[in-house]
Amino acid sequence: MKVHLIIFAVLIAGFVVYNFFFVLPDERMHILFNIVYASVLFGYISFVAFTVLKKLRK
């Protein structure tokens, strides 16, 4: 479980660093990248929740 939290923390840190320092010149591409990245974060947290629920069932 600790590995999942570390990976999630790295993903969140990457998202914050990208938004503060590496902004794409085209605003539409920047928004698209943010939406895709947020979707990946949401998907990963859903995966972690599913894994926890599976472990609790056993």
Side-chain angles (χ1 to χ4, degrees):
M1 192 65 215
K2 187 175 182 179
V3 175
H4 293 298
L5 292 176
I6 291 171
I7 292 171
F8 188 66
V10 168
L11 287 172
I12 291 289
F15 187 73
V16 170
V17 167
Y18 166 74
N19 279 314
F20 277 131
F21 301 113
F22 304 109
V23 178
L24 293 174
D26 184 20
E27 185 177 346
R28 295 175 93 191
M29 288 301 293
H30 177 71
I31 292 170
L32 178 66
F33 186 80
N34 276 338
I35 290 171
V36 170
Y37 204 119
S39 298
V40 169
L41 287 173
F42 184 72
Y44 190 74
I45 199 70
S46 299
F47 166 74
V48 171
F50 180 73
T51 305
V52 167
L53 289 174
K54 251 175 57 174
K55 285 184 180 180
L56 286 176
R57 182 181 270 185
K58 288 183 179 180

